[in-house]
Amino acid sequence: MSYNDFERGVPPEISNCSNLEYLFIIKYNLTGNIPSSLGMLKKVRRINPSDNLLSGNIPDELGNCNSLETFTSGQNQLQGKIPPALGKLKKIQWLELFVNKLSSEILISVWQIQSLTLIIVYNNTLTGEQPVEVTELKHLERLMMFDNRFHGEIPMGLGVNRSLVAVDLIVNSFTGEIRLNLSHGQS
């Protein structure tokens, strides 16, 4: 349904599609909220409502999408925090929430999702320290957190991860020394 010019928000009735695996509604000029009823989609693997005018909070109910591997909602006007309920998504690999109005800290429950390979949250007003848990994400390849309000020291073990190929933390308020351990030691 992407790249059309529908004038309505994401219909909550989409949750009636119990076998839906892919929901792509990119560049649709959609307004309104991401409906909490999406949490009823137990088989959905990818949700992408990027490049719209969606606002409001990311619903906690998305944490009920047990099969979700990718949630991409960049270039919207989403507000509030990244809900801790997303930490229940044990299969999620891609979390893309760039260019929104998200604020608050990214809670530990999200940093503990071992399946994550990509975290893109740039151009928001997210805050907090980078927790040591990020160093334990063994599949993480890309960490793009620039242009936010993160602070504190960068965890020393961040560079140990063999899978990590890109990190961008510019335009934040990190302090201290850059103490990355970039030796690719034993796995």
Side-chain angles (χ1 to χ4, degrees):
M1 298 189 299
S2 298
Y3 303 101
N4 282 290
D5 198 18
F6 298 112
E7 296 179 3
R8 188 178 152 184
V10 180
E13 297 83 13
I14 198 86
S15 64
N16 294 332
C17 301
S18 59
N19 290 319
L20 187 68
E21 290 187 30
Y22 302 96
L23 178 60
F24 289 86
I25 42 179
I26 304 165
K27 202 167 187 172
Y28 227 85
N29 292 322
L30 292 176
T31 59
N33 297 332
I34 296 174
S36 60
S37 60
L38 290 184
M40 296 171 61
L41 298 173
K42 302 297 183 193
K43 294 183 180 179
V44 70
R45 294 173 55 200
R46 294 185 181 160
I47 298 175
N48 188 341
S50 291
D51 203 5
N52 284 291
L53 301 170
L54 295 172
S55 59
N57 296 326
I58 299 169
D60 288 330
E61 290 80 1
L62 282 182
N64 297 328
C65 298
N66 299 333
S67 299
L68 193 62
E69 297 170 0
T70 301
F71 180 58
T72 302
S73 190
Q75 297 180 322
N76 278 293
Q77 298 174 13
L78 298 174
Q79 304 161 354
K81 63 183 179 181
I82 298 172
L86 294 188
K88 297 189 306 186
L89 300 173
K90 301 304 178 197
K91 293 183 178 181
I92 195 159
Q93 297 170 14
W94 288 21
L95 182 59
E96 297 182 65
L97 300 170
F98 56 92
V99 190
N100 276 290
K101 298 178 181 178
L102 296 169
S103 58
S104 190
E105 294 185 28
I106 300 176
L107 298 179
I108 295 298
S109 62
V110 175
W111 290 116
Q112 292 175 333
I113 304 171
Q114 290 300 309
S115 56
L116 281 170
T117 61
L118 180 88
I119 301 172
I120 302 180
V121 293
Y122 65 81
N123 282 4
N124 281 287
T125 56
L126 294 165
T127 186
E129 295 187 14
Q130 183 130 67
V132 71
E133 282 80 2
V134 74
T135 66
E136 298 167 7
L137 298 176
K138 301 303 179 200
H139 303 288
L140 188 64
E141 296 174 4
R142 289 180 172 27
L143 179 63
M144 313 305 266
M145 299 173 56
F146 61 87
D147 200 9
N148 276 287
R149 295 181 182 160
F150 294 108
H151 61 273
E153 294 190 7
I154 299 168
M156 184 173 175
L158 187 59
V160 173
N161 187 333
R162 281 186 179 251
S163 60
L164 199 58
V165 295
V167 176
D168 194 337
L169 306 174
I170 64 170
V171 192
N172 279 290
S173 296
F174 288 111
T175 57
E177 298 178 35
I178 297 176
R179 301 176 298 139
L180 298 179
N181 180 352
L182 296 175
S183 65
H184 288 294
Q186 301 288 345
S187 296

